[in-house]
Amino acid sequence: MTLGEFSHYGYFALTVFLTVMLWGYIFHLYRAEKKGTRDYEQYGKIAVDDEISDELVEKKEEDSDNEDSNEIGRDK
């Protein structure tokens, strides 16, 4: 097997791998939206509502553990 043949097989394998990964990601997005865990259409508003005073697309959940660790780091 020459280096040229090896690169052709590698290119083909990489193309197949990336295609499978793309379809897996598309399936993940579709399934998450159907389950109702995430609404990806609301993220389309980001391009339209991009002012600093606009409403947030998704609220940030506060974690009490993170707040405690941040306060400890500030004391030092």
Side-chain angles (χ1 to χ4, degrees):
M1 180 184 317
T2 65
L3 186 59
E5 290 175 345
F6 184 71
S7 67
H8 291 297
Y9 287 124
Y11 180 76
F12 179 75
L14 181 65
T15 303
V16 169
F17 174 74
L18 291 176
T19 303
V20 169
M21 292 300 292
L22 175 66
W23 280 103
Y25 182 65
I26 291 170
F27 180 72
H28 163 72
L29 293 177
Y30 175 77
R31 203 166 120 197
E33 194 165 336
K34 284 295 180 187
K35 280 184 181 178
T37 57
R38 183 84 55 173
D39 182 18
Y40 289 105
E41 285 195 26
Q42 71 182 351
Y43 292 112
K45 295 181 193 177
I46 292 175
V48 177
D49 300 331
D50 62 346
E51 296 294 324
I52 193 75
S53 60
D54 288 336
E55 187 177 324
L56 294 176
V57 173
E58 187 174 280
K59 301 289 184 198
K60 181 179 176 185
E61 294 181 17
E62 294 295 326
D63 188 14
S64 62
D65 294 336
N66 286 341
E67 291 174 5
D68 293 339
S69 64
N70 288 339
E71 290 175 5
I72 293 171
R74 290 185 197 144
D75 293 338
K76 292 182 179 180

